[in-house]
Amino acid sequence: MPQPPSSGPFRVGLVYLYTGLTELLPLHAVYALLMTSHGVSTGELSVLFAVWTVTTFVCEVPSGALADRFPRHRVLAAAALAQCTGFALWTALPSLGSFAAGFVLWGAGTALTSGTLQSLLYDGLAAEGRAGQYARVSSRVAAVQACSVAASSLAATPLVLLGGYPATGWVSVLLTLLAVPTALGLGHRAPGPVPAPAPEPQGYRAVLRAGLAEARGTPRVRSAVLLAAALTGLGVVDEYLPVLAREAGTPAAAVPLLLLLPWAAMAAGGFAGGRMAGAGDRLLAVLLGAGGAALAAGALTARPAGFLGIAAFYWVLRLAQIVADTRLQHAISGPARATVTSVAGLGAQAVALAVFLTLGLAARWASAAVLVALTAVPVLLLAVRLALRPDPAHHVPPPQPDEPPPPARTGAVERHS
């Protein structure tokens, strides 16, 4: 059963730290190269990505309901532990079977995090009357994520040179292991006025039904779910960027450095998304159209310089993802926020699976440059869809200035934090 809420202000800093530890992974920049170095072909790599996506797909909504039923900080700890175990398998026992098992564990961890982190953050801020700061704080979380990945790419080069792929693996295992106590720390707040106990939560099935009903039956929520799903799912093309870099003639040790470009652009896009949380569909359509064109052009150059165009696409994509997530969190009004957010995650995994399977089939005839460029097609179609549909008001509260959190109010505080 969930425990009574802890007192004191919501510890946003631990959310940043947890995000950094679970994304500051040198292995992320080179795991595709690790796998190909052990005989995994591009087609098999696509199958492994599909295993990852199917696992996340199956676990996505059930894990969201778990995060609405049980303490969210414990769910996040379990996610980090699963990710850590998968990386240990890859590093200690590199083979096609262990790669597949690791992707299953990583997929489960991704599902446990998806919806849980956003809901913990939104409800933690809302309990203190700071829901209007969600766009700014979530954009910083996104920037921390991108900066961590960029830093891991930078660190991967010396680690590969000094200790090969195993060095990147064991460092990644250690960092994800440290994320476990960090997540558990989100359940312990600083001393402060003790709030009233939260109401007893509904049962698991009732929470699951409530979340699914809101995602399906509330037009504003449904629209936000679909947009967030499409934008998140289309971002999976980054899994092919290391292969594209090698195809473009980049030395293996320099691949992580080249990947700094798109990840730095994602960090910048995260900050921009926080300032543009109220952007309408027309503006998003223009940005996505330009970003999709830049992605295709950059990939088809088949040269390292083409990563500038790919970086421009990721700046746009991360900005749009922040806008979509902010719309969704402000639209949800029911008791199953993590479940509704996980429905968007489920849609994202469906989009990602379609991308992986399509590119996996096309990999038999096409180069990595063509595969990455093909991803621009659904981006451009989404831009057209946004440009043609009515542009309703999204009721996103104006950003609030940064300020010290007010004292905890008497009343229920989010029971899962």
Side-chain angles (χ1 to χ4, degrees), residues 4-387:
S6 302
S7 61
F10 179 64
R11 302 171 72 178
V12 173
L14 285 182
V15 176
Y16 297 149
L17 180 59
Y18 178 85
T19 301
L21 289 171
T22 53
E23 297 293 343
L24 185 60
L25 308 172
L27 187 59
H28 189 276
V30 297
Y31 70 77
L33 304 180
L34 164 68
M35 294 174 184
T36 55
S37 73
H38 284 85
V40 176
S41 67
T42 303
E44 289 172 332
L45 194 61
S46 293
V47 172
L48 289 173
F49 291 158
V51 168
W52 181 18
T53 305
V54 168
T55 302
T56 311
F57 185 91
V58 171
C59 298
E60 185 73 50
V61 174
S63 67
L66 281 175
D68 281 323
R69 181 64 179 83
F70 299 102
R72 289 175 182 155
H73 64 282
R74 295 181 183 174
V75 176
L76 291 176
L81 187 60
Q83 191 176 9
C84 173
T85 305
F87 292 159
L89 278 176
W90 288 358
T91 307
L93 302 168
S95 66
L96 185 61
S98 68
F99 295 150
F103 271 126
V104 168
L105 288 167
W106 196 355
T110 300
L112 288 168
T113 305
S114 174
T116 305
L117 189 62
Q118 298 98 312
S119 301
L120 183 148
L121 179 59
Y122 187 91
D123 285 342
L125 293 172
E128 297 174 351
R130 297 192 290 154
Q133 292 184 13
Y134 177 79
R136 179 181 290 108
V137 176
S138 67
S139 72
R140 291 174 181 173
V141 171
V144 168
Q145 179 187 34
C147 288
S148 298
V149 175
S152 68
S153 295
L154 188 62
T157 295
L159 284 173
V160 170
L161 291 174
L162 292 174
Y165 297 133
T168 66
W170 290 121
V171 169
S172 300
V173 168
L174 175 62
L175 291 169
T176 47
L177 188 60
L178 290 174
V180 174
T182 302
L184 294 175
L186 284 165
H188 303 282
R189 298 184 179 178
V194 179
E200 184 70 17
Q202 302 178 38
Y204 177 84
R205 292 184 180 180
V207 168
L208 181 61
R209 286 195 298 268
L212 293 175
E214 183 172 10
R216 181 180 63 252
T218 306
R220 193 159 66 97
V221 174
R222 183 173 63 246
S223 175
V225 163
L226 292 174
L227 180 60
L231 290 170
T232 303
L234 290 173
V236 297
V237 69
D238 69 323
E239 305 299 340
Y240 292 90
L241 295 185
V243 180
L244 175 61
R246 289 292 289 134
E247 189 179 274
T250 308
V255 168
L257 297 177
L258 189 58
L259 295 179
L260 284 174
L261 283 173
W263 286 110
M266 290 179 74
F271 280 118
R275 293 189 291 269
M276 298 180 63
D281 288 347
R282 302 289 190 276
L283 179 55
L284 287 183
V286 171
L287 291 172
L288 286 172
L295 174 65
L300 292 175
T301 62
R303 295 183 180 181
F307 272 71
L308 290 172
I310 295 171
F313 164 72
Y314 273 103
W315 181 86
V316 170
L317 184 67
R318 181 49 60 96
L319 182 156
Q321 288 171 346
I322 295 295
V323 172
D325 176 56
T326 302
R327 286 186 189 180
L328 176 59
Q329 295 305 321
H330 286 298
I332 297 170
S333 59
R337 179 174 301 278
T339 305
V340 175
T341 307
S342 289
V343 172
L346 180 67
Q349 295 306 320
V351 173
L353 180 59
V355 170
F356 283 144
L357 293 179
T358 301
L359 297 187
L361 292 174
R364 302 177 62 181
W365 302 280
S367 65
V370 173
L371 296 181
V372 173
L374 282 174
T375 312
V377 175
V379 175
L380 295 173
L381 291 176
L382 178 59
V384 171
R385 176 70 181 90
L386 288 173

